[in-house]
């Protein structure tokens, strides 16, 4: 998901073009990144710069872990440093005039100097290391361990530090607006008068606007779709007081999630709640293999034709899995987001 967000820097809000440094550039038109990372040894390394309208990849050859990058970015951009081969990466801010030094035995144990915003980001990550996969870098998933806890930590940081470049970086890279787009919009709006962070927040600003529009206007519709066991699921929001739609994939998280769906579906009469799992897997053979292992099934299971782009749900703007929607009998969305516990809490407040 993070890589999708960074890729979205390509669209909508124009920013100054990022170009590779030529020999004749002056200091104010360039940045320099110098590193000594033991694990890099003599391997090639790459630096990917994400701007709101461009992506540039720079390469360098490490020698005994030492390397140097020179480039140009007129405004703050997100930089992602990694080995040319697969492995962890580290993300930081960069713009013209910066002289940044990265040192450490590996990307998982790294010190960054020469840039106040990056030092502030590193301090935040160190103070909240339990929320992330790695201290300052991450695995290829690039996902925080707990989206809700990470969002709160970032919001608290913005409340304390204000609309700084470090705050904007944390929102752009790590904040998930899906669970509470209204809160996300309020955070982003605090940066309205901060020109130097505008391009950093361009992509997530658009994501938040789309999410808010979906919450306000999109209704859960009735549908008839093929289901597991060669049956058909006929669904109408009006047939019960509330519905939970659980959008899933076929990865290892599904097993834990389905145990929760089983418990939830068995806790309420059908006229009060219906639980439906809609798989975004995309491959029918894989889906059938996975669902065959389900036991004590008391919830409906559907493979969406076309995944999130299926005609029946495309208007709901589902961008990830797992993802949950709690809807009332009119199809109005009460909750939408990645956290089932929040959906259940909202349901219990209404049914009790």
């Amino acid at each position: 998901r993070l890589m999708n967000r960074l890729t979205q820097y390509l669209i909508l809000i124009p920013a100054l073009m990022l170009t590779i440094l030529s020999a004749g550039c002056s200091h104010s038109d360039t940045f320099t990144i110098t590193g000594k990372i033991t694990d890099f040894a003599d391997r090639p390394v790459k630096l990917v710069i994400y701007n709101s309208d461009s992506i540039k990849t720079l390469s360098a050859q490490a020698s005994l872990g030492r390397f140097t990058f020179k480039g140009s970015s007129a405004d703050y951009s997100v930089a992602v440093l990694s080995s040319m081969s697969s492995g962890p990466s580290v993300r930081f801010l960069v713009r013209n005039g910066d002289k940044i030094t990265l040192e450490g035995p590996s990307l998982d144990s790294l010190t960054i100097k020469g840039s106040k915003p990056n030092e502030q980001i590193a301090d935040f990550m160190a103070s909240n290391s339990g929320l992330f996969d790695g201290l300052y870098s991450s695995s290829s998933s690039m996902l925080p361990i707990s989206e809700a806890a990470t969002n709160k930590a970032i919001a608290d940081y913005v409340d304390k530090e204000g609309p700084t470049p470090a705050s904007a970086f944390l929102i752009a890279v790590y904040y998930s607006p899906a669970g509470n787009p209204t809160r996300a919009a309020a955070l982003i709006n605090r940066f309205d008068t901060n020109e130097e962070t505008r391009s950093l927040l361009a992509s997530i600003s658009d994501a938040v606007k789309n999410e808010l529009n979906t919450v306000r206007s999109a209704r859960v519709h009735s549908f008839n779709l093929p289901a597991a066991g060669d049956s058909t699921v006929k669904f109408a929001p009006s047939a019960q007081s509330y519905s939970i739609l659980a959008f899933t994939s076929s990865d290892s998280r599904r097993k834990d999630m389905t145990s929760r769906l089983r418990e939830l579906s068995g806790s309420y009469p059908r006229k009060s709640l219906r639980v439906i799992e809609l798989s975004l897997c995309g491959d029918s053979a894989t889906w059938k293999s996975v669902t065959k292992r389900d036991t004590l099934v008391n919830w409906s299971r559907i493979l969406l034709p076309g995944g999130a782009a299926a005609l029946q749900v495309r208007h709901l703007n589902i961008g990830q899995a797992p993802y949950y929607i709690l809807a009332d009998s009119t199809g109005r969305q009460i909750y939408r987001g990645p956290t089932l516990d929040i959906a259940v809490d909202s349901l219990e407040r209404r049914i009790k």
Side-chain angles (χ1 to χ4, degrees):
R1 189 183 64 198
L2 173 61
M3 295 308 295
N4 289 338
R5 180 182 295 176
L6 293 177
T7 301
Q8 290 173 352
Y9 276 83
L10 284 166
I11 61 175
L12 294 179
I13 296 184
L16 294 173
M17 186 66 70
L18 179 70
T19 56
I20 297 176
L21 175 68
S22 65
C25 286
S26 65
H27 167 77
S28 62
D29 296 329
T30 67
F31 62 79
T32 302
I33 298 170
T34 304
K36 183 182 179 183
I37 300 175
T38 307
D39 274 0
F40 280 172
D42 296 325
R43 297 192 305 230
V45 296
K46 66 179 177 181
L47 184 74
V48 184
I49 310 295
Y50 295 90
N51 200 289
S52 60
D53 72 343
S54 64
I55 299 176
K56 290 290 183 179
T57 300
L58 310 180
S59 61
Q61 179 66 46
S63 176
L64 299 177
R66 297 178 182 273
F67 59 90
T68 299
F69 287 103
K70 293 186 178 182
S72 177
S73 179
D75 207 347
Y76 276 118
S77 298
V78 176
V80 181
L81 173 70
S82 66
S83 168
M84 282 290 188
S85 59
S86 60
S89 61
V90 63
R91 296 168 298 287
F92 52 93
L93 283 175
V94 65
R95 72 170 176 177
N96 290 344
D98 284 346
K99 291 186 177 181
I100 296 172
T101 301
L102 304 169
E103 293 187 359
S106 67
L107 288 178
D108 289 314
S109 182
L110 193 65
T111 298
I112 184 166
K113 297 180 180 179
S115 165
K116 183 178 179 180
N118 284 312
E119 291 170 5
Q120 292 170 336
I121 294 165
D123 287 343
F124 171 86
M125 300 293 282
S127 299
N128 296 276
S129 58
L131 298 178
F132 296 87
D133 181 13
L135 179 61
Y136 191 54
S137 64
S138 76
S139 67
S140 57
S141 68
M142 294 189 179
L143 293 176
I145 292 172
S146 169
E147 288 185 344
T150 301
N151 282 358
K152 183 180 185 306
I154 293 172
D156 289 346
Y157 182 86
V158 176
D159 288 341
K160 179 181 178 182
E161 302 296 335
T164 66
S167 298
F169 172 93
L170 293 171
I171 293 172
V173 176
Y174 290 113
Y175 196 91
S176 174
N180 191 341
T182 302
R183 174 58 169 153
L187 281 176
I188 293 169
N189 287 342
R190 296 181 61 178
F191 293 78
D192 276 353
T193 60
N194 193 336
E195 291 292 336
E196 65 179 356
T197 61
R198 191 176 301 278
S199 65
L200 272 176
L201 295 171
S203 177
I204 191 172
S205 294
D206 295 330
V208 168
K209 290 175 184 176
N210 290 337
E211 188 70 15
L212 285 170
N213 289 336
T214 302
V215 171
R216 290 166 182 160
S217 61
R219 298 264 173 167
V220 174
H221 298 161
S222 301
F223 55 75
N224 296 343
L225 284 170
D230 298 322
S231 60
T232 299
V233 167
K234 296 182 179 180
F235 169 75
S238 59
Q240 54 280 321
S241 300
Y242 298 96
S243 306
I244 287 182
L245 306 185
F247 295 86
T248 67
S249 62
S250 58
D251 64 17
S252 58
R253 292 175 294 179
R254 182 182 179 274
K255 183 177 180 179
D256 292 335
M257 182 275 300
T258 52
S259 66
R260 293 290 313 283
L261 296 185
R262 182 186 305 110
E263 178 185 1
L264 186 60
S265 185
S267 298
Y268 298 94
R270 180 69 171 268
K271 65 179 181 179
S272 296
L273 175 69
R274 187 169 187 186
V275 178
I276 299 182
E277 177 190 356
L278 301 101
S279 177
L280 306 179
C281 174
D283 178 72
S284 60
T286 300
W287 178 68
K288 288 179 180 179
S289 175
V290 169
T291 55
K292 278 182 179 179
R293 298 194 290 269
D294 292 339
T295 57
L296 302 175
V297 177
N298 60 1
W299 72 99
S300 301
R301 298 166 298 161
I302 294 170
L303 176 65
L304 280 172
L311 178 63
Q312 295 83 355
V313 300
R314 69 176 61 169
H315 66 292
L316 296 175
N317 191 28
I318 306 301
Q320 66 183 85
Y323 198 84
Y324 307 94
I325 291 178
L326 171 65
D328 66 13
S329 60
T330 70
R332 180 177 65 90
Q333 296 182 77
I334 298 169
Y335 169 79
R336 53 180 284 125
T339 308
L340 181 57
D341 286 343
I342 298 177
V344 173
D345 288 345
S346 183
L347 172 70
E348 290 178 343
R349 289 197 303 269
R350 286 165 170 80
I351 287 185
K352 288 182 177 179

